[in-house]
Amino acid sequence: QQQVKQSPQSLIVQKGGISIINCAYENTAFDYFPWYQQFPGKGPALLIAIRPDVSEKKEGRFTISFNKSAKQFSLHIMDSQPGDSATYFCAASMGYPGANNLFFGTGTRLTVIP
Amino acid sequence: DVKVTQSSRYLVKRTGEKVFLECVQDMDHENMFWYRQDPGLGLRLIYFSYDVKMKEKGDIPEGYSVSREKKERFSLILESASTNQTSMYLCASSPRGGLSYEQYFGPGTRLTVT
């Protein structure tokens, strides 16, 4: 059973456009929602994270929007660049380190066309 | 700089062989994880360890075992490799007192079982 549902599976965006990736969850025990970025040949790396008591978090061109009532969150990449081409994973965490507490979405392969 | 290394980037094994995948982290992290990554399925947790000689099953432990004799090293063992274990294997680590949602990943081992 997939704890976090992610869409779309792949996305092609023109340079300068906005990339939007959506995720949804059911378990209200989740209390952190991170996004990981994975370049080809590399492992995933933490990109940005948000708590459910915040509706939006922005870091540079990357913004997480969070809708607690709908149990949905999304990643927006503004002014998308070819260097943003990567696979993006949303995830949800229950807030305590160690145990099996980080659940990943299925991933979105983003391609930014020059 | 945080570093997780995996013993091989690419590995080709035959059906029925015993396969060892090694992971080493140099960050003195207590927690270590093994995931497999498959297209459309995201990252699925196989096993994790929160201390030396301790291990816990993740979501898909069948056909795998692990060993953690030293804090910095976490090994994934495929007792008798099968073709459905062809996948990308990712190791990760995190500190016990760190952010619950931040794991540090190695570059992955792409295993092909023929």
Side-chain angles (χ1 to χ4, degrees), chain B residues 79-95:
Chain B
E79 296 291 342
S80 177
S82 65
T83 54
N84 63 12
Q85 292 178 310
T86 291
S87 185
M88 171 69 84
Y89 290 87
L90 290 163
C91 175
S93 71
S94 68

Side-chain angles (χ1 to χ4, degrees), chain A residues 42-58:
Chain A
K42 305 282 188 183
L46 179 65
L47 179 64
I48 187 173
I50 196 169
R51 291 177 58 102
D53 54 354
V54 175
S55 62
E56 185 175 282
K57 183 173 182 180
K58 186 175 181 180

Side-chain angles (χ1 to χ4, degrees), chain B:
Chain B
D1 195 21
V2 163
K3 198 153 186 183
V4 178
T5 56
Q6 295 183 230
S7 51
S8 305
R9 295 301 301 273
Y10 300 94
L11 210 52
V12 179
K13 296 291 182 181
R14 294 189 180 276
T15 302
E17 278 193 84
K18 191 169 186 175
V19 182
F20 293 86
L21 302 183
E22 305 285 340
C23 175
V24 177
Q25 50 96 2
D26 65 359
M27 298 162 283
D28 201 35
H29 286 172
E30 289 78 14
N31 308 313
M32 296 189 74
F33 307 83
W34 274 107
Y35 294 88
R36 64 177 282 177
Q37 180 178 3
D38 300 288
L41 297 178
L43 301 173
R44 293 182 292 166
L45 183 65
I46 304 171
Y47 267 96
F48 64 98
S49 168
Y50 53 87
D51 206 344
V52 176
K53 296 191 185 296
M54 305 301 288
K55 61 185 179 185
E56 294 285 344
K57 292 180 181 179
D59 299 320
I60 51 164
E62 297 78 19
Y64 304 95
S65 62
V66 291
S67 172
R68 192 164 180 204
E69 296 296 319
K70 293 184 177 181
K71 189 176 185 181
E72 67 271 17
R73 188 179 297 269
F74 193 33
S75 302
L76 180 69
I77 303 154
L78 286 66
E79 296 291 342
S80 177
S82 65
T83 54
N84 63 12
Q85 292 178 310
T86 291
S87 185
M88 171 69 84
Y89 290 87
L90 290 163
C91 175
S93 71
S94 68
R96 182 172 294 144
L99 298 171
S100 62
Y101 55 83
E102 185 165 23
Q103 294 181 8
Y104 298 86
F105 284 84
T109 295
R110 184 166 294 281
L111 172 67
T112 301
V113 182
T114 62

Side-chain angles (χ1 to χ4, degrees), chain A residues 15 34 40 43 49-51 58 62 67 82-83 85 97 100-101 107 110 114:
Chain A
K15 179 182 174 182
I50 196 169
R51 291 177 58 102
K58 186 175 181 180
F62 298 88
N67 185 331
S85 297
N100 183 11
N101 69 333
L110 171 65

Side-chain angles (χ1 to χ4, degrees), chain A residues 27-83:
Chain A
N27 191 339
T28 55
F30 291 136
D31 58 2
Y32 278 101
F33 298 88
W35 287 85
Y36 278 75
Q37 180 188 53
Q38 182 183 28
F39 291 108
K42 305 282 188 183
L46 179 65
L47 179 64
I48 187 173
I50 196 169
R51 291 177 58 102
D53 54 354
V54 175
S55 62
E56 185 175 282
K57 183 173 182 180
K58 186 175 181 180
E59 288 187 4
R61 295 183 294 107
F62 298 88
T63 301
I64 302 178
S65 297
F66 192 86
N67 185 331
K68 189 174 182 177
S69 60
K71 290 187 276 188
Q72 294 174 349
F73 58 110
S74 59
L75 177 70
H76 292 65
I77 306 174
M78 312 301 287
D79 186 26
S80 298
Q81 300 295 313

